[in-house]
């Protein structure tokens, strides 16, 4: 089995009375209220096992005193995700490593196997130097906040830092969604994910390209100690990997990544190579928090997926830049939604330094056209259509045109329109003889003349009378209706169309009268007379005559 490392982070939120601030970590009183069993004891043995696809570490604890729950328990089996089994290493950030002989205080939630999981990941189990009986009698002295870490941006996991290596090769990282939140539905849930991606993608001077991939099946993830090679975001905890919320308190979401090797990154530093990134959101999260709040949580989790740790883990953080960062260990729920702050940006720029001088999202070492104007669409070589270095578009022949699409900078091959857009002709093309055209026949020879847009080249700068356009629109409507009926009904409709076309010709004459203050230009008026006159003749002759031959010039 290929060695792999999985790292995750759980967003922990407690909702005190309405109007109070949402804080982390929980107080002793809150943890006592939420835990099923609270006990002290001594670790007898620890083993890591593979349970199906999951790697987990099980610590068997000899219970010394029970503060809450099942008084009379002799032992507790404490289960935490991650561990080492043979060559497989699944390291889960936020868990508490235990060893035989450790004295522990456990805030446990019963799971379906009969064992216990620590309440709120690593905040539910504490090692202490006190003996277990004294520990039970001195709960307030034993339970302490996690180690406070304050400083600039940090990276998730043990050194070296971890990062994706796709971006500097000009590639995207596709992360898929498996489902949507039941309250939002799939479309709005996917939109929240895209907003979280955009918050990181749009950081200037950092090369990050996250995108939403194809739908994924629901299943286990990094949150449960599983690295399966699939990067997936899942709502509503479908694999039951998180403890359910109690009221609106508990683990809101878990995000993390798997690594399998090391490589040289920016500045020659060594980094772990991220191969998978997962996010799982808990059940009922939208029952308690708004879409904007969930967008913030998703953005925070995607920061972990990218390799970032916390800006600070100090509840009284004095540095405003660290305290207001989206990667601060407490969720802000201040309406920021999918947004990042200065410290988040600084960390991202270190992990994913942008070596893209012309800002076209193609790294310098892959960019064949380094002088492309800003915001120009480029292909995978960094060249826009107008760049001399753009690869010549191949595939053109007598029946096909090969052109560069300026919107995407990609070469496209399209069939040549032998009719040059003339609706009163049909066209075919042969590689041996090239284009050939033929006039349309029957009623189509009437209908086609009204399908023209009547936008003469000579009228580009002229103000064509609105009444003229209304006459043409009505004539087109009558001919279209006539195509769906026969006999006298068709004749009446064609007569009405002919009347409208006659009025249109008169309107051109008035518009071109030189006595007007702003007469219609003579060449514009002439081209319009030719088009409208042809349409009237076709209607009058029922398609057997026309005013001019629309065959394109060779």
């Amino acid at each position: 089995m290929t060695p792999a490392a999985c790292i995750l982070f759980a967003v922990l939120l407690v909702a005190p009375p309405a109007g109070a601030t949402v804080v982390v970590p929980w107080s002793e009183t809150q943890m006592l209220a939420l835990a099923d069993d609270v006990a002290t004891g001594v670790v007898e043995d620890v083993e890591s096992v593979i349970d199906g696809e999951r790697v987990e570490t099980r610590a068997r604890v000899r219970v010394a005193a029970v503060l809450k729950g099942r008084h009379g328990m002799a032992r507790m089996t404490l289960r935490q995700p991650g561990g080492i089994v043979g060559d497989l290493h699944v390291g889960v950030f936020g868990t508490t490593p235990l060893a035989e002989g450790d004295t522990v205080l456990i805030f446990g939630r019963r799971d379906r196997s009969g064992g216990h999981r620590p309440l709120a990941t690593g905040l539910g189990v504490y090692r202490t130097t006190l003996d277990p009986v004294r520990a039970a009698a001195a709960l307030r002295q034993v339970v302490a906040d996690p180690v406070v870490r304050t400083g600039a941006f940090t990276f998730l996991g043990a050194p070296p830092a971890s990062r994706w290596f796709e971006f500097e090769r000009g590639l995207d990282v596709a992360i898929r969604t498996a489902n949507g939140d039941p309250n939002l539905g799939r479309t709005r849930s996917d939109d929240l994910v895209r907003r979280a991606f955009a918050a990181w993608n749009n950081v200037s001077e950092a090369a990050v390209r996250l995108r939403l991939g194809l739908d994924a099946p629901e299943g286990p993830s990094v949150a449960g100690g599983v690295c399966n090679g699939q990067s997936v975001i899942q709502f509503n905890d479908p694999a039951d990997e998180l403890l359910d919320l109690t009221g609106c308190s508990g683990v809101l979401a878990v995000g993390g990544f798997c690594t399998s090797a090391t490589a040289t990154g920016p500045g020659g530093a060594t980094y772990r190579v991220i191969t998978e990134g997962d996010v799982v959101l808990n059940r009922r999260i939208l029952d308690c928090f708004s879409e904007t709040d969930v967008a913030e949580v998703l953005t925070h989790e995607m920061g972990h997926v990218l390799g970032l740790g916390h800006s600070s883990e100090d509840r009284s953080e004095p540095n405003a830049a660290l305290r207001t960062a989206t990667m601060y260990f407490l969720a802000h729920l201040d309406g920021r939604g999918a947004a990042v702050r200065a410290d988040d940006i600084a960390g991202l720029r270190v992990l994913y330094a942008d070596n893209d001088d012309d800002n076209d999202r193609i790294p310098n070492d892959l960019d064949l056209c380094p002088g492309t104007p800003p915001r120009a669409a480029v292909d995978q070589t960094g060249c826009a259509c107008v760049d001399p270095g753009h690869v010549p578009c191949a595939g053109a022949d007598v029946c096909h045109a090969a052109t560069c699409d300026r919107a995407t900078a990609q070469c496209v091959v399209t069939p040549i329109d032998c009719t040059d857009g003339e609706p009163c002709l049909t066209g075919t093309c042969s590689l041996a003889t090239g284009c050939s055209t033929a006039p349309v026949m029957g009623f189509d020879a009437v209908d086609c003349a009204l399908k023209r847009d009547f936008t003469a080249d000579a009228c580009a700068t002229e103000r064509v009378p609105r009444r003229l356009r209304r006459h043409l629109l009505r004539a087109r409507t009558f001919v279209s209706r006539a195509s769906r009926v026969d006999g006298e009904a068709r004749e009446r409709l064609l007569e009405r169309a002919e009347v409208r076309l006659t009025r249109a010709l008169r309107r051109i004459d008035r518009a071109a009268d030189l006595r007007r203050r702003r007469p219609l230009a003579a060449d514009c008026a002439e081209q319009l007379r030719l088009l409208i006159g042809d349409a009237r003749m076709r209607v009058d002759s029922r398609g057997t005559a026309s005013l001019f031959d629309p065959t394109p010039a060779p």
Side-chain angles (χ1 to χ4, degrees):
M1 190 173 293
T2 303
C6 297
I7 301 173
L8 61 82
F9 168 73
V11 171
L12 306 173
L13 298 176
V14 170
T21 304
V22 177
V23 298
V24 179
W26 292 337
S27 69
E28 300 96 309
T29 301
Q30 291 167 326
M31 293 182 73
L32 279 168
L34 292 169
D36 295 323
D37 296 295
V38 180
T40 61
V42 177
V43 177
E44 292 186 325
D45 59 72
V46 180
E47 65 172 344
S48 295
V49 299
I50 296 179
D51 184 0
E53 294 180 293
R54 307 173 192 276
V55 173
E56 69 175 26
T57 297
R58 299 172 181 174
R60 189 166 61 167
V61 178
R62 184 177 69 253
V63 175
V66 176
L67 291 87
K68 176 187 176 182
R70 297 171 178 166
H71 293 274
M73 285 189 301
R75 284 176 175 78
M76 296 175 68
T77 299
L78 191 66
R79 302 171 61 192
Q80 300 188 81
I84 300 175
V85 180
D87 293 332
L88 180 62
H89 179 202
V90 181
V92 179
F93 183 78
T95 59
T96 302
L98 298 175
E100 183 179 342
D102 283 346
T103 300
V104 292
L105 168 67
I106 298 170
F107 294 81
R109 291 286 295 268
R110 300 168 195 152
D111 62 21
R112 296 168 185 174
S113 71
H116 287 77
R117 293 186 180 275
L119 181 68
T121 317
L123 297 184
V125 56
Y126 296 88
R127 293 190 301 267
T128 175
T129 58
L130 299 178
D131 69 73
V133 176
R134 289 180 60 201
L139 172 61
R140 182 167 294 278
Q141 282 70 39
V142 174
V143 178
D145 290 345
V147 176
V148 172
R149 183 174 70 245
T150 301
F153 57 85
T154 62
F155 302 127
L156 188 57
S162 302
R163 70 191 298 274
W164 298 85
F165 276 77
E166 281 80 357
F167 305 135
E168 58 255 45
R169 300 199 301 270
L171 302 176
D172 297 343
V173 168
I175 298 181
R176 306 153 70 191
T177 54
N179 54 18
D181 182 88
N183 290 356
L184 294 181
R186 185 61 178 271
T187 300
R188 287 167 65 188
S189 298
D190 282 354
D191 180 61
L192 283 182
V193 172
R194 290 189 183 95
R195 284 154 58 184
F197 288 176
W200 297 108
N201 287 345
N202 293 334
V203 173
S204 63
E205 301 179 28
V208 172
R209 301 176 64 167
L210 299 169
R211 66 176 173 84
L212 196 62
L214 300 175
D215 293 354
E218 296 178 344
S221 74
V222 175
V226 176
C227 295
N228 56 17
Q230 303 294 319
S231 295
V232 182
I233 295 174
Q234 302 184 79
F235 290 81
N236 210 38
D237 188 19
D240 195 26
E241 296 175 306
L242 312 182
L243 291 173
D244 289 343
L245 297 178
T246 301
C248 290
S249 303
V251 178
L252 283 189
V254 169
F257 54 73
C258 304
T259 66
S260 62
T262 59
T264 302
T270 298
Y271 292 87
R272 298 185 189 276
V273 180
I274 299 179
T275 57
E276 173 187 344
D278 296 335
V279 175
V280 178
L281 288 89
N282 213 334
R283 302 180 182 95
R284 298 178 40 251
I285 186 172
L286 263 298
D287 290 348
C288 300
F289 304 96
S290 70
E291 287 185 49
T292 301
D293 294 336
V294 175
E296 180 190 343
V297 171
L298 275 168
T299 304
H300 180 106
E301 297 305 332
M302 287 311 304
H304 288 309
V305 167
L306 288 167
L308 291 174
H310 291 147
S311 60
S312 169
E313 292 181 351
D314 183 353
R315 284 185 293 175
S316 303
E317 176 56 59
N319 186 322
L322 305 184
R323 188 176 62 252
T324 60
T326 295
M327 296 309 297
Y328 185 51
F329 85 122
L330 306 183
H332 302 81
L333 308 181
D334 56 3
R336 71 178 58 195
V340 293
R341 297 292 190 263
D343 189 72
D344 310 315
I345 292 170
L348 197 72
R349 286 173 175 169
V350 170
L351 271 182
Y352 300 101
D354 187 6
N355 62 339
D356 177 16
D357 292 340
D358 58 0
N359 200 31
D360 62 1
R361 302 185 75 86
I362 303 298
N364 291 338
D365 54 352
L366 300 179
D367 198 337
L368 301 182
C369 301
T372 303
R375 295 183 295 278
V378 299
D379 65 6
Q380 61 273 17
T381 69
C383 295
C385 290
V386 296
D387 284 327
H390 193 282
V391 176
C393 294
D397 54 38
V398 294
C399 295
H400 299 87
T403 58
C404 183
D405 182 353
R406 289 176 177 262
T408 63
Q410 302 297 319
C411 289
V412 293
V413 177
T414 55
I416 291 174
D417 182 3
C418 293
T419 70
D420 202 24
E422 169 53 54
C424 290
L425 292 175
T426 60
T428 58
C429 188
S430 165
L431 292 177
T433 60
C435 279
S436 61
T437 60
V440 298
M441 306 298 292
F443 191 80
D444 288 343
V446 178
D447 192 31
C448 69
L450 274 300
K451 290 181 178 177
R452 295 169 177 149
D453 60 10
F454 296 99
T455 304
D457 294 339
C459 300
T461 60
E462 296 294 309
R463 295 180 60 185
V464 177
R466 290 183 180 179
R467 287 190 179 182
L468 170 63
R469 298 191 181 280
R470 285 200 292 268
H471 288 316
L472 294 174
L473 180 61
R474 294 299 294 158
R476 181 177 297 162
T477 300
F478 290 140
V479 171
S480 177
R481 290 167 57 187
S483 68
R484 299 191 291 269
V485 296
D486 293 311
E488 292 184 4
R490 171 178 285 190
E491 287 301 313
R492 287 195 297 270
L493 289 167
L494 291 177
E495 287 172 1
R496 296 174 71 180
E498 188 175 353
V499 169
R500 288 289 181 169
L501 291 169
T502 300
R503 291 178 181 176
L505 287 171
R506 291 173 183 166
R507 178 58 57 183
I508 294 173
D509 291 339
R510 293 195 192 100
D513 191 333
L514 296 178
R515 291 173 294 181
R516 297 174 64 89
R517 187 172 65 177
R518 293 185 59 184
L520 194 65
D523 54 349
C524 172
E526 186 58 32
Q527 288 189 23
L528 287 173
R529 287 192 189 97
L530 187 63
L531 290 170
I532 297 171
D534 181 69
R536 187 178 67 169
M537 184 170 289
R538 287 171 181 271
V539 173
D540 181 53
S541 67
R542 304 303 186 258
T544 61
S546 61
L547 187 64
F548 65 96
D549 181 6
T551 304

